[in-house]
Amino acid sequence: MVINYVGADVHSQTTWFCVLNTSGATVLETPVKTNAKDLVGFIRVLSGEVHLAIEEGTQAHWLYSLLRGEVSRMIVCDPSKISRSGGSPNKTDRKDAWRV
C-alpha cells in the first residue's frame, strides 16, 4: 500500500506542500492556492493513504475541518516545538512544509 506523508505550511494566499514516501524521500514539493477547491483537489490527486501534518496557527482549524475527511490521518503540531536542523535561523515556507 502506498502511504504519502504530507507536510503543509499554510498562509492566506498559498500553502506549500511537501510529500514524502515511506522511505522518507521527497516525492513532491509544490505551492497550492489557499482555497477549499484547490486544497481538496491537491489531496485527492495523491494515491494511497495520506497522512497530513499542519502547523498550529490561525488557519489550522479551518484546514483541519476542510481536509479531515480527505486524509487517513491528520495531526496539528506546534512549530515552536520543532528544532531546526543545522541550527539555521532562516525560515521559508518550503522548508517549513518539509519540517512539519
Side-chain angles (χ1 to χ4, degrees):
M1 172 179 280
V2 174
I3 300 175
N4 293 292
Y5 298 97
V6 182
D9 189 38
V10 186
H11 295 279
S12 62
Q13 298 297 313
T14 306
T15 298
W16 265 95
F17 284 99
C18 179
V19 181
L20 306 177
N21 63 19
T22 54
S23 300
T26 302
V27 175
L28 176 65
E29 291 179 301
T30 188
V32 175
K33 288 183 181 178
T34 303
N35 64 59
K37 179 184 171 192
D38 290 342
L39 294 171
V40 170
F42 175 79
I43 294 298
R44 287 182 178 171
V45 167
L46 300 174
S47 62
E49 283 190 27
V50 176
H51 297 200
L52 176 64
I54 62 173
E55 288 184 333
E56 181 180 44
T58 57
Q59 293 182 312
H61 183 267
W62 170 76
L63 191 62
Y64 181 85
S65 298
L66 176 69
L67 297 178
R68 70 180 173 197
E70 302 293 331
V71 299
S72 302
R73 294 185 180 191
M74 186 175 215
I75 186 170
V76 179
C77 62
D78 183 351
S80 67
K81 305 290 183 194
I82 303 170
S83 65
R84 299 193 186 278
S85 61
S88 172
N90 296 333
K91 177 177 171 16
T92 67
D93 296 339
R94 184 176 170 201
K95 286 181 185 177
D96 283 351
W98 190 87
R99 285 184 332 102
V100 173

